Amino acid sequence: MDSAEDTVDGYRPWSEVTPDAARRLLVAAVDAFAERGYHATTTRDIAGRAGMSPAALYIHYKTKEELLHRISRIGHDKALDILTTAADGSGCPAERLDAAVRSFVRWHAAHHTTARVVQYELDALAPEHRSEIVALRRQSDAAVRRILADGVAAGEFDVPDVPGTTLAVLSLCIDVARWFSVAGQRTPDEVGALYADLVLRMVGARPAPQK
Protein backbone atom coordinates (compact mmCIF):
# COMPACT_ATOMS: atom_id res chain seq x y z
CA MET A 1 0.00 0.00 0.00
CA ASP A 2 1.12 3.51 -0.35
CA SER A 3 1.19 6.63 0.18
CA ALA A 4 -2.09 7.50 1.84
CA GLU A 5 -0.07 9.12 4.60
CA ASP A 6 2.78 10.62 2.55
CA THR A 7 3.31 14.34 2.09
CA VAL A 8 3.97 15.41 -1.50
CA ASP A 9 4.48 19.02 -2.62
CA GLY A 10 3.56 20.14 0.89
CA TYR A 11 0.19 18.37 0.81
CA ARG A 12 -0.64 15.79 3.46
CA PRO A 13 -3.61 13.73 2.27
CA TRP A 14 -6.77 13.91 4.34
CA SER A 15 -5.43 16.60 6.70
CA GLU A 16 -8.72 18.40 6.06
CA VAL A 17 -10.67 15.50 7.62
CA THR A 18 -11.42 15.86 11.32
CA PRO A 19 -11.64 14.56 13.97
CA ASP A 20 -8.80 12.03 13.96
CA ALA A 21 -11.18 9.06 14.15
CA ALA A 22 -12.96 10.20 10.98
CA ARG A 23 -9.61 10.57 9.24
CA ARG A 24 -8.46 7.09 10.33
CA LEU A 25 -11.66 5.59 8.97
CA LEU A 26 -11.28 7.43 5.68
CA VAL A 27 -7.66 6.27 5.24
CA ALA A 28 -8.74 2.72 6.06
CA ALA A 29 -11.52 2.96 3.48
CA VAL A 30 -9.06 4.13 0.81
CA ASP A 31 -6.85 1.09 1.41
CA ALA A 32 -9.82 -1.30 1.50
CA PHE A 33 -11.49 0.09 -1.63
CA ALA A 34 -8.18 0.01 -3.54
CA GLU A 35 -7.42 -3.55 -2.48
CA ARG A 36 -10.86 -5.17 -2.71
CA GLY A 37 -13.00 -2.74 -4.69
CA TYR A 38 -15.85 -0.68 -3.32
CA HIS A 39 -18.58 -3.31 -3.69
CA ALA A 40 -16.55 -6.12 -2.09
CA THR A 41 -15.62 -3.99 0.92
CA THR A 42 -17.83 -4.01 4.00
CA THR A 43 -18.09 -1.42 6.73
CA ARG A 44 -16.70 -4.08 9.07
CA ASP A 45 -13.59 -4.32 6.86
CA ILE A 46 -13.09 -0.57 7.06
CA ALA A 47 -13.62 -0.33 10.81
CA GLY A 48 -11.29 -3.27 11.42
CA ARG A 49 -8.49 -1.65 9.42
CA ALA A 50 -8.94 1.51 11.47
CA GLY A 51 -8.84 -0.45 14.73
CA MET A 52 -12.39 0.54 15.54
CA SER A 53 -15.76 -1.14 15.95
CA PRO A 54 -18.32 -1.10 13.11
CA ALA A 55 -20.62 0.96 15.34
CA ALA A 56 -17.94 3.64 15.64
CA LEU A 57 -17.90 4.11 11.87
CA TYR A 58 -21.53 5.24 11.83
CA ILE A 59 -20.77 8.04 14.27
CA HIS A 60 -18.76 9.72 11.51
CA TYR A 61 -20.24 8.36 8.26
CA LYS A 62 -23.85 7.37 7.72
CA THR A 63 -23.07 4.95 4.89
CA LYS A 64 -20.18 3.36 3.03
CA GLU A 65 -21.14 5.47 0.03
CA GLU A 66 -20.75 8.64 2.08
CA LEU A 67 -17.17 7.59 2.77
CA LEU A 68 -16.52 7.05 -0.94
CA HIS A 69 -18.06 10.41 -1.76
CA ARG A 70 -15.83 12.20 0.78
CA ILE A 71 -12.74 10.46 -0.63
CA SER A 72 -13.75 11.25 -4.20
CA ARG A 73 -14.59 14.87 -3.49
CA ILE A 74 -11.31 15.60 -1.72
CA GLY A 75 -9.31 13.79 -4.40
CA HIS A 76 -11.02 15.58 -7.27
CA ASP A 77 -10.67 18.95 -5.54
CA LYS A 78 -6.94 18.29 -5.29
CA ALA A 79 -6.72 17.23 -8.95
CA LEU A 80 -8.56 20.37 -10.03
CA ASP A 81 -6.29 22.54 -7.89
CA ILE A 82 -3.18 21.01 -9.49
CA LEU A 83 -4.44 21.59 -13.02
CA THR A 84 -5.90 25.06 -12.56
CA THR A 85 -2.76 26.23 -10.76
CA ALA A 86 -0.72 25.18 -13.79
CA ALA A 87 -3.23 26.61 -16.27
CA ASP A 88 -3.27 29.96 -14.47
CA GLY A 89 0.49 30.05 -13.97
CA SER A 90 3.07 32.20 -15.67
CA GLY A 91 5.05 31.08 -18.67
CA CYS A 92 4.26 30.07 -22.21
CA PRO A 93 1.70 27.32 -22.96
CA ALA A 94 4.44 24.68 -23.25
CA GLU A 95 5.75 25.56 -19.80
CA ARG A 96 2.25 25.50 -18.32
CA LEU A 97 1.47 22.17 -19.96
CA ASP A 98 4.74 20.75 -18.64
CA ALA A 99 3.85 21.93 -15.13
CA ALA A 100 0.31 20.53 -15.35
CA VAL A 101 1.34 17.08 -16.53
CA ARG A 102 4.39 16.85 -14.28
CA SER A 103 2.40 17.73 -11.14
CA PHE A 104 -0.69 15.71 -12.05
CA VAL A 105 1.32 12.57 -12.81
CA ARG A 106 3.51 12.99 -9.74
CA TRP A 107 0.40 13.13 -7.54
CA HIS A 108 -1.12 10.03 -9.17
CA ALA A 109 2.13 8.11 -8.70
CA ALA A 110 2.89 9.24 -5.14
CA HIS A 111 -0.70 8.61 -4.06
CA HIS A 112 -1.49 5.71 -6.38
CA THR A 113 -3.68 3.85 -3.88
CA THR A 114 -5.76 6.94 -3.21
CA ALA A 115 -5.85 7.88 -6.89
CA ARG A 116 -7.11 4.44 -7.93
CA VAL A 117 -10.13 4.89 -5.69
CA VAL A 118 -10.69 8.50 -6.71
CA GLN A 119 -10.44 7.81 -10.44
CA TYR A 120 -11.88 4.31 -10.86
CA GLU A 121 -14.78 4.01 -8.38
CA LEU A 122 -16.85 6.82 -9.88
CA ASP A 123 -19.71 4.54 -10.90
CA ALA A 124 -20.21 3.35 -7.31
CA LEU A 125 -21.33 6.82 -6.23
CA ALA A 126 -24.99 7.71 -5.77
CA PRO A 127 -26.40 9.61 -8.77
CA GLU A 128 -26.35 13.03 -7.11
CA HIS A 129 -22.78 12.52 -5.87
CA ARG A 130 -21.66 11.21 -9.24
CA SER A 131 -23.05 14.32 -10.93
CA GLU A 132 -21.13 16.51 -8.49
CA ILE A 133 -17.85 14.70 -9.21
CA VAL A 134 -18.44 14.70 -12.96
CA ALA A 135 -18.78 18.49 -12.79
CA LEU A 136 -15.36 18.71 -11.11
CA ARG A 137 -13.87 16.46 -13.77
CA ARG A 138 -15.24 18.76 -16.45
CA GLN A 139 -13.49 21.69 -14.79
CA SER A 140 -10.23 19.74 -14.81
CA ASP A 141 -10.79 18.95 -18.47
CA ALA A 142 -11.39 22.64 -19.15
CA ALA A 143 -8.11 23.64 -17.48
CA VAL A 144 -6.07 21.34 -19.72
CA ARG A 145 -8.11 22.28 -22.77
CA ARG A 146 -7.39 25.96 -22.09
CA ILE A 147 -3.63 25.33 -22.04
CA LEU A 148 -3.81 23.40 -25.31
CA ALA A 149 -5.96 26.06 -26.97
CA ASP A 150 -3.53 28.77 -25.85
CA GLY A 151 -0.66 26.77 -27.33
CA VAL A 152 -2.44 26.38 -30.64
CA ALA A 153 -3.30 30.09 -30.75
CA ALA A 154 0.33 30.99 -29.97
CA GLY A 155 1.64 28.70 -32.68
CA GLU A 156 3.43 26.50 -30.12
CA PHE A 157 1.30 23.36 -30.46
CA ASP A 158 0.19 21.37 -33.48
CA VAL A 159 -3.13 20.01 -32.21
CA PRO A 160 -5.92 19.60 -34.81
CA ASP A 161 -8.35 18.21 -32.20
CA VAL A 162 -8.08 20.02 -28.86
CA PRO A 163 -10.95 18.19 -27.08
CA GLY A 164 -9.70 14.78 -28.20
CA THR A 165 -6.13 15.59 -27.24
CA THR A 166 -7.28 16.86 -23.84
CA LEU A 167 -8.94 13.51 -23.21
CA ALA A 168 -5.80 11.65 -24.30
CA VAL A 169 -3.55 13.72 -22.03
CA LEU A 170 -5.76 13.26 -18.97
CA SER A 171 -6.22 9.54 -19.63
CA LEU A 172 -2.47 9.07 -19.94
CA CYS A 173 -1.85 10.85 -16.64
CA ILE A 174 -4.63 9.13 -14.68
CA ASP A 175 -3.56 5.65 -15.81
CA VAL A 176 -0.33 6.05 -13.81
CA ALA A 177 -2.35 5.26 -10.67
CA ARG A 178 -3.24 1.86 -12.10
CA TRP A 179 0.29 0.58 -12.65
CA PHE A 180 2.65 2.60 -10.46
CA SER A 181 4.49 0.70 -7.73
CA VAL A 182 6.90 1.97 -5.11
CA ALA A 183 8.96 -1.13 -5.89
CA GLY A 184 9.41 0.02 -9.49
CA GLN A 185 12.49 1.61 -11.01
CA ARG A 186 11.13 5.16 -11.27
CA THR A 187 10.19 7.65 -8.58
CA PRO A 188 7.03 9.79 -8.83
CA ASP A 189 9.21 12.75 -9.85
CA GLU A 190 10.85 10.72 -12.60
CA VAL A 191 7.52 9.47 -13.93
CA GLY A 192 6.20 13.03 -13.88
CA ALA A 193 9.18 14.25 -15.91
CA LEU A 194 8.85 11.38 -18.39
CA TYR A 195 5.15 11.98 -18.98
CA ALA A 196 5.60 15.74 -19.31
CA ASP A 197 8.15 15.11 -22.06
CA LEU A 198 5.85 12.59 -23.77
CA VAL A 199 2.89 14.96 -23.74
CA LEU A 200 4.92 17.87 -25.12
CA ARG A 201 6.03 15.61 -27.94
CA MET A 202 2.41 14.52 -28.45
CA VAL A 203 1.26 18.09 -29.04
CA GLY A 204 4.23 18.95 -31.26
CA ALA A 205 5.51 21.59 -28.87
CA ARG A 206 7.91 24.02 -30.45
CA PRO A 207 9.37 27.38 -29.41
CA ALA A 208 6.97 30.29 -29.37
CA PRO A 209 7.23 32.53 -32.46
CA GLN A 210 9.56 35.51 -32.02
CA LYS A 211 7.74 38.83 -31.78
Side-chain angles (χ1 to χ4, degrees):
M1 288 296 150
D2 75 273
S3 88
E5 298 292 337
D6 291 348
T7 298
V8 175
D9 294 339
Y11 170 69
R12 187 185 182 206
W14 321 122
S15 58
E16 55 272 88
V17 179
T18 57
D20 181 66
R23 182 176 182 275
R24 284 166 49 203
L25 285 163
L26 189 142
V27 171
V30 168
D31 287 343
F33 293 158
E35 181 180 318
R36 306 189 63 185
Y38 173 81
H39 293 293
T41 298
T42 66
T43 53
R44 185 175 294 276
D45 293 332
I46 296 168
R49 286 173 184 257
M52 300 166 69
S53 69
L57 185 148
Y58 294 109
I59 296 173
H60 303 283
Y61 303 98
K62 294 178 182 178
T63 64
K64 183 177 71 167
E65 193 273 342
E66 182 181 329
L67 255 172
L68 178 62
H69 173 241
R70 189 78 192 279
I71 293 164
S72 190
R73 178 63 199 236
I74 292 172
H76 279 88
D77 280 342
K78 181 58 182 175
L80 179 59
D81 178 64
I82 289 170
L83 294 172
T84 54
T85 296
D88 294 338
S90 60
C92 67
E95 291 169 334
R96 288 155 52 208
L97 183 60
D98 178 280
V101 172
R102 192 179 295 261
S103 299
F104 199 49
V105 167
R106 184 168 58 225
W107 188 85
H108 279 79
H111 302 296
H112 53 279
T113 299
T114 295
R116 280 201 300 274
V117 176
V118 169
Q119 299 292 359
Y120 295 116
E121 292 288 0
L122 184 65
D123 289 340
L125 291 168
E128 66 276 15
H129 289 157
R130 188 180 189 282
S131 295
E132 174 189 319
I133 300 304
V134 166
L136 290 173
R137 291 169 79 98
R138 286 178 178 148
Q139 291 180 61
S140 292
D141 179 283
V144 175
R145 188 180 301 196
R146 176 155 54 92
I147 299 173
L148 293 178
D150 287 349
V152 171
E156 291 185 42
F157 299 162
D158 180 13
V159 179
D161 183 349
V162 169
T165 303
T166 299
L167 178 60
V169 169
L170 287 172
S171 297
L172 187 69
C173 296
I174 288 168
D175 193 57
V176 169
R178 182 184 57 78
W179 62 260
F180 185 84
S181 169
V182 293
Q185 296 182 345
R186 298 180 190 270
T187 66
D189 282 339
E190 290 169 341
V191 177
L194 172 64
Y195 273 54
D197 179 69
L198 290 173
V199 168
L200 288 173
R201 292 172 185 272
M202 179 193 301
V203 301
R206 50 185 175 265
Q210 295 296 318
K211 295 183 179 179

